[in-house]
């Protein structure tokens, strides 16, 4: 188990990033790029959620055999009416029929700009997609402690403020009605060890319930999460697609790299040199580990400013890329008392009813004064989907976006 030293600033390293020579942009890739443009959404007019998921899967590099035949059939039936070039239509049809196992890299590069919208439309139908296939986000919502036990656990936490950080994170997530999927493997191991130890002063009923919760099983005091808000289903779907875009080491998938490369060479404004150098690290297939704290702060601030016209899903992927950097450092950051108060007031409002159990658990961790390093990649991706504006039905004020974005990147001081 790796322990982290909590501090208010992250350990900084610096690197000189060479300029990257970028290739010309295909004509198609410069059209309809920005998430939210009417023409981008119009491209998918008449295509159902399953077909959108198949389209996204193809663009992510999935093999045709990994995508259900019904989804490929839906996509195939729509292709003829799509506003795409003849060559792209031919490539997609070949993939749908299975005559080619996967799309060529050049084809993916041209279609990658549409991934964010296709993923979002699939998510609204309760579907998530990755290179491994299409899954439903409604089938496994997880389990949560019953209200009475959550109240008991909340009281316990207020009376025990000096718990080990990993144990505290697990109990805070549990008490908030969150699910075990929000925890990293280390944190899950820590809470299981704690409830078995002589140091644990939880009641027998809470210990039994927490063990069930960790196993994802319903039982006494633990219930399967029932009705799921539509926004929660969407955040799970989009979060899954964000997770699929980046590996555990912090390397972003080639399809998203292509879309980012397209954006950089197509914008009319000059990017700040530090921001451009950071984004070029992604294009070079590198992690964010070499970035200095000052660059992380500048990049995070830019992502959610009016100057950033990056598509929502690409913005989310960049933010998760920065999260992975935070998890490998030995020094991480927590929110200030002021930020916690602001976040708590928002979280206790009406918005909570629209959030997934996973996202609730992540936010509860931040409010508890804990660091993002103890939260799983999958869970962070769901939170990032929400604050990046990718979840229909959830409106997040910019001050909350700022607080959560800087917490996710591990730089909570001096960002704004």
């Amino acid at each position: 188990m790796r322990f982290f030293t909590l501090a208010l600033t992250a350990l900084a390293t610096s690197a000189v990033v060479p300029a990257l020579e970028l290739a010309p942009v295909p004509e198609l890739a410069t059209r309809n790029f920005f998430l939210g443009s009417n023409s981008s959404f119009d491209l998918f007019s008449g295509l159902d959620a399953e077909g959108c998921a198949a389209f996204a899967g193809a663009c992510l590099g999935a093999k045709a055999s990994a995508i259900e035949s019904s989804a490929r059939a839906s996509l195939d039936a729509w292709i003829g009416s799509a506003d795409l070039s003849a060559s792209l239509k031919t490539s997609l049809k070949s993939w749908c029929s299975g005559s080619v196992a996967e799309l060529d890299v050049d084809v993916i590069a041209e279609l990658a700009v549409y991934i964010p919208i296709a993923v979002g439309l699939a998510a609204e139908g309760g579907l998530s997609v990755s290179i491994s296939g299409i899954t439903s986000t409604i089938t496994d919502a997880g389990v949560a402690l019953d209200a009475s036990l959550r109240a008991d656990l909340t009281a316990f936490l207020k009376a025990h403020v000096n718990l080990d950080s990993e144990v505290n994170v697990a109990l805070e997530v549990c008490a908030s009605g969150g699910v075990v999927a929000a925890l990293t493997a280390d944190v899950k191991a820590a809470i299981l060890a704690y409830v078995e130890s002589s140091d644990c002063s939880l009641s027998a009923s809470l210990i039994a319930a927490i063990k069930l919760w960790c196993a994802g099983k319903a039982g006494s005091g633990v219930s399967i999460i029932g009705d799921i808000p539509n926004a929660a289903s969407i955040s799970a779907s989009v979060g899954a697609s964000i997770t699929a875009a980046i590996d555990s080491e912090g390397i972003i998938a080639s399809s998203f790299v292509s879309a980012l490369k397209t954006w950089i060479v197509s914008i009319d404004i000059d990017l700040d040199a530090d921001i451009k150098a950071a984004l070029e690290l992604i294009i070079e297939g590198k992690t964010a580990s070499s970035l200095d704290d000052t660059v992380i702060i500048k990049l995070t601030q830019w992502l959610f400013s009016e100057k950033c016209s990056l598509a929502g899903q690409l913005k989310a992927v960049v933010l998760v890329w920065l999260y992975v950097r935070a998890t490998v450092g030995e020094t991480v950051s927590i929110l200030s008392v002021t930020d916690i108060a602001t976040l708590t007031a928002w979280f206790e409002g009406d918005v909570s009813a629209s959030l997934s159990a996973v996202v609730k658990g992540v936010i509860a961790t931040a409010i508890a004064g804990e660091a993002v390093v103890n939260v799983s990649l999958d869970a962070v991706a769901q939170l990032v989907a929400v604050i990046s504006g990718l979840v229909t039905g959830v409106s997040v004020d910019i001050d909350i976006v700022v607080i959560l974005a800087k917490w996710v990147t591990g730089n909570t001081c001096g960002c704004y």
Side-chain angles (χ1 to χ4, degrees):
M1 185 183 304
R2 187 158 70 94
F3 293 91
F4 295 86
T5 304
L6 293 180
L8 293 179
T9 55
L11 185 63
T13 58
S14 60
V16 177
V17 182
L20 187 66
E21 191 172 327
L22 300 172
V25 187
E27 180 183 352
L28 173 69
T30 61
R31 292 194 294 125
N32 307 338
F33 178 76
F34 302 112
L35 182 62
S37 66
N38 291 332
S39 53
S40 296
F41 283 103
D42 287 347
L43 172 68
F44 295 99
S45 177
L47 186 61
D48 62 13
E50 197 174 25
C52 287
F55 182 96
C59 296
L60 289 170
K63 293 184 181 299
S65 58
I67 304 297
E68 286 82 353
S69 58
S70 59
R72 286 187 281 117
S74 177
L75 177 60
D76 184 65
W78 166 84
I79 290 171
S81 63
D83 182 20
L84 296 170
S85 69
S87 62
L88 288 175
K89 288 182 178 181
T90 298
S91 295
L92 282 170
K93 277 189 166 291
S94 296
W95 180 85
C96 288
S97 67
S99 59
V100 297
E102 55 191 275
L103 294 180
D104 290 339
V105 174
D106 290 345
V107 174
I108 289 175
E110 289 198 63
L111 293 173
V113 295
Y114 296 110
I115 291 175
I117 298 167
V119 166
L121 292 172
E124 291 189 10
L127 301 176
S128 63
V129 60
S130 71
I131 196 169
S132 302
I134 300 171
T135 57
S136 170
T137 57
I138 301 175
T139 55
D140 186 16
V143 298
L145 257 64
D146 293 345
S148 60
L149 284 183
R150 292 205 305 270
D152 291 344
L153 184 53
T154 298
F156 174 86
L157 287 166
K158 288 180 179 178
H160 297 77
V161 295
N162 294 316
L163 293 170
D164 172 82
S165 177
E166 291 175 319
V167 171
N168 191 56
V169 166
L171 295 180
E172 289 286 356
V173 170
C174 193
S176 71
V179 294
V180 72
L183 308 181
T184 64
D186 282 352
V187 172
K188 184 177 176 181
I191 186 58
L192 286 172
Y194 173 72
V195 296
E196 294 284 3
S197 72
S198 58
D199 294 332
C200 179
S201 56
L202 287 164
S203 66
S205 58
L206 270 174
I207 290 175
I210 289 170
K211 287 180 179 179
L212 285 172
W213 179 77
C214 286
K217 297 179 179 179
S220 179
V222 183
S223 302
I224 296 173
I225 295 174
D227 294 335
I228 305 170
N230 185 55
S233 177
I234 294 173
S235 68
S237 298
V238 177
S241 70
I242 294 169
T243 301
I246 186 167
D247 67 22
S248 60
E249 300 299 319
I251 304 298
I252 293 178
S254 59
S255 53
F256 284 87
V257 168
S258 296
L260 179 60
K261 183 176 178 180
T262 294
W263 179 83
I264 288 179
V265 299
S266 65
I267 57 175
D268 295 327
I269 60 172
D270 290 330
L271 278 176
D272 174 271
D274 288 336
I275 291 173
K276 186 175 182 180
L279 296 178
E280 286 174 346
L281 281 179
I282 295 175
I283 295 173
E284 293 172 336
K286 296 180 180 178
T287 71
S289 60
S290 65
L291 293 178
D292 185 273
D293 273 3
T294 56
V295 177
I296 298 291
I297 291 170
K298 185 183 291 187
L299 179 56
T300 305
Q301 183 177 16
W302 171 78
L303 282 172
F304 294 98
S305 71
E306 293 181 354
K307 295 179 180 179
C308 179
S309 57
L310 202 60
Q313 186 124 357
L314 284 171
K315 186 184 298 184
V317 169
V318 173
L319 199 60
V320 173
W321 180 67
L322 296 177
Y323 153 79
V324 175
R325 173 191 180 270
T327 65
V328 299
E330 290 299 326
T331 308
V332 292
S333 58
I334 59 177
L335 291 177
S336 67
V337 173
T338 301
D339 282 346
I340 288 174
T342 301
L343 186 58
T344 301
W346 172 77
F347 186 54
E348 292 178 347
D350 294 338
V351 70
S352 185
S354 299
L355 299 175
S356 71
V358 171
V359 173
K360 288 178 182 177
V362 178
I363 295 173
T365 300
I367 288 174
E370 296 290 351
V372 75
V373 295
N374 289 324
V375 179
S376 71
L377 172 61
D378 291 348
V380 168
Q382 283 202 40
L383 173 65
V384 168
V386 172
I387 65 175
S388 297
L390 296 171
V391 179
T392 306
V394 180
S395 178
V396 186
D397 294 337
I398 187 59
D399 58 336
I400 301 301
V401 170
V402 167
I403 290 170
L404 290 172
K406 62 186 183 180
W407 180 72
V408 164
T409 62
N411 283 274
T412 55
C413 290
C415 287
Y416 299 86

